[in-house]
Amino acid sequence: MQIKRMTIRFDLDNPEDRQAWEYLRGLNPASMNRAVLAIVNQAEQAARIGGMVRGIIREELSAALRQVPVQSVRTEAVSEDGADDTIMDFLNSF
């Protein structure tokens, strides 16, 4: 069996670090090691699943958007001075 050691430091002025330290400090050494391993493995698995879900959503949206009919939009001509003729016609009706 090959054992690797790792040191972790907690900045107790940081609320997140303090919260993790308080949790781990309440465990006995054997369960502390298992808890850290379980948390790391769960975080890695959640990241992997999140990436898979994002990929599936991206593929499904792309497929759905390819099936949507695209219709070109005709724009109205703008007068030379930059004012829209429709707006001007409406204002002239008063």
Side-chain angles (χ1 to χ4, degrees), residues 42-92:
Q42 287 173 357
E44 187 276 329
Q45 183 179 16
R48 191 170 4 104
I49 290 171
M52 289 170 45
V53 168
R54 282 190 296 277
I56 291 169
I57 291 171
R58 188 178 302 113
E59 289 173 15
E60 292 298 321
L61 281 174
S62 294
L65 289 174
R66 280 192 294 272
Q67 295 175 359
V68 173
V70 178
Q71 189 176 36
S72 62
V73 176
R74 194 182 95 221
T75 59
E76 292 185 22
V78 178
S79 63
E80 288 181 18
D81 64 352
D84 186 13
D85 290 335
T86 306
I87 294 172
M88 295 307 292
D89 289 343
F90 173 76
L91 293 174
N92 288 334

